[in-house]
Amino acid sequence: MVATALASLTTLPRVRLAPHPTPVDTLTRLRAALGPSCPALYMKRDDLLSFGMGGNKIRKLQTVLAEAMAAGADTLITCGGIQSNHCRATAAAGAAQGLRVVLVVNGVPQERPTGNALLDRLFGAEVRLVATRHDRAPMMDAVAAELVAQGRRPFVIPLGASTPIGAAGFAQGLEEVLVSGLRPDVIVHATSSGGTQAGLIAGCALFGLDARVIGISADEPAHILQALIRDLLESIAERLGGSRAAVGIDKEIVVDDGWVGEGYGIPTADSIEALTMVARREGIVLDPVYTAKAMAGLIGHVRAGQFSAAETVLFWHTGGQAGLFA
Ligand SMILES: Cc1ncc(COP(=O)(O)O)c(C=O)c1O
């Protein structure tokens, strides 16, 4: 069943947006700063995915875009916050495929767009602003209906491209880790709409890597994300024609929501420390909304003695640095 699912995964249609594997860096100086009980630390640099300013959304969009093209879409519609990395990546993907992109975003309008909002416009996306995150889905439906009435063929990409196909696109990234020769015991990453974590869990199971995947939440409570990730894994198994076990659904889904602080995008003392420490020890830039909190979680786990010094921990850098310039 694993072999069938793996074959389906590797042949899943995709639009190659970023054709090169991302590097895996060794975090020697960060490890030294965290003391002798710190495990070996590595970082998978998906912030360096060579398209549209990179980040985890590029992997998911490669398979989702193939789905959209197969459906004959001429317009992509998606949603997010005003500084959404996913919206920016979708805007870039649409531009590169000659598709129109409509972004439904919530937030306070900016007189002079910054960060991802600036990039959305640079990539030529049309932006429709709504007041709250609850208004996004109905507005996407309204935009889709409006476009259909004009004779266009819109394709709606749900929040974060965290669909089973998007998550399966992410699972492919695990092959790059194995090819690099690293076999981590633990993978730590930022989680929010669940697609990245579902992809990592499925990828580990399919490529035969027995690693604990720890998602550090940027906003949602753990139980909500765990349910979301479980549903995604069920659908991935169905889509790839594998058993539930083949995509790792029988393993515990670990989400740590202890690093959110006051809320989404609001820095904490720990996230500021993590962002600063990684910049000053490694010359690597994290983002303030997702990866700084995820790194704060990793550092917190090291300090609490939750890893053994003999283990290998891979931090999956999911990008998002445009958020620093928001
Ligand atoms: C930079 C960054 N890291 C991590 C995440 C979380 O990924 P996911 O939504 O797949 O859980 C996101 C998006 O939400 C993101 O933009």
Side-chain angles (χ1 to χ4, degrees):
M1 280 304 248
V2 172
T4 313
L6 186 57
S8 309
L9 177 68
T10 50
T11 53
L12 204 60
R14 73 195 59 217
V15 173
R16 284 275 173 208
L17 296 170
H20 312 290
T22 55
V24 175
D25 288 348
T26 312
L27 305 181
T28 322
R29 281 178 38 79
L30 180 64
R31 183 188 193 186
L34 292 173
S37 64
C38 185
L41 296 179
Y42 294 86
M43 187 183 278
K44 176 71 172 154
R45 301 293 307 276
D46 271 8
D47 55 316
L48 300 180
L49 274 165
S50 61
F51 178 81
M53 301 282 286
N56 59 338
K57 306 303 173 192
I58 307 299
R59 286 195 192 277
K60 297 195 254 180
L61 281 170
Q62 295 194 136
T63 41
V64 171
L65 207 50
E67 214 185 359
M69 304 296 265
D74 62 11
T75 307
L76 304 175
I77 304 173
T78 198
C79 69
I82 201 162
Q83 284 297 336
S84 161
N85 295 305
H86 165 65
C87 284
R88 175 257 306 159
T90 306
Q97 298 303 313
L99 302 174
R100 182 173 163 192
V101 176
V102 182
L103 304 174
V104 175
V105 305
N106 65 291
V108 182
Q110 294 176 294
E111 206 170 298
R112 202 161 157 260
T114 59
N116 284 307
L118 172 65
L119 293 167
D120 293 343
R121 282 154 180 86
L122 180 65
F123 291 131
E126 179 187 329
V127 177
R128 303 269 184 108
L129 204 68
V130 291
T132 72
R133 53 167 63 196
H134 307 292
D135 302 323
R136 296 186 304 213
M139 178 58 101
M140 286 205 293
D141 291 343
V143 173
E146 186 186 309
L147 291 173
V148 169
Q150 291 166 11
R152 298 192 68 96
R153 294 183 304 280
F155 186 91
V156 175
I157 303 176
L159 183 70
S162 283
T163 63
I165 292 292
F170 203 90
Q172 275 268 298
L174 264 302
E175 189 178 21
E176 291 178 21
V177 175
L178 296 182
V179 168
S180 78
L182 190 74
R183 293 193 77 87
D185 301 296
V186 184
I187 297 174
V188 178
H189 70 101
T191 187
S192 178
S193 64
T196 300
Q197 188 154 4
L200 286 170
I201 293 170
C204 284
L206 291 166
F207 288 104
L209 179 66
D210 188 19
R212 297 194 315 273
V213 176
I214 303 177
I216 310 283
S217 176
D219 41 14
E220 300 290 354
H223 69 277
I224 291 186
L225 275 169
Q226 282 159 331
L228 208 65
I229 293 161
R230 194 175 311 280
D231 284 352
L232 277 170
L233 287 169
E234 302 260 10
S235 305
I236 294 170
E238 212 170 284
R239 183 66 178 73
L240 298 182
S243 65
R244 298 166 82 243
V247 298
I249 209 169
D250 50 347
K251 292 182 84 176
E252 188 192 357
I253 298 171
V254 184
V255 177
D256 179 354
D257 59 7
W259 305 91
V260 176
E262 283 178 36
Y264 175 76
I266 304 172
T268 62
D270 292 320
S271 73
I272 293 167
E273 184 203 19
L275 187 84
T276 311
M277 208 166 172
V278 172
R280 295 188 186 172
R281 296 277 172 172
E282 300 289 349
I284 294 174
V285 181
L286 299 175
D287 87 291
V289 179
Y290 299 95
T291 51
K293 286 187 179 174
M295 182 56 84
L298 185 155
I299 293 170
H301 283 232
V302 170
R303 287 177 175 155
Q306 284 162 0
F307 305 127
S308 102
E311 284 186 305
T312 296
V313 176
L314 177 69
F315 181 84
W316 205 291
H317 192 330
T318 46
Q321 292 100 324
L324 267 179
F325 308 101

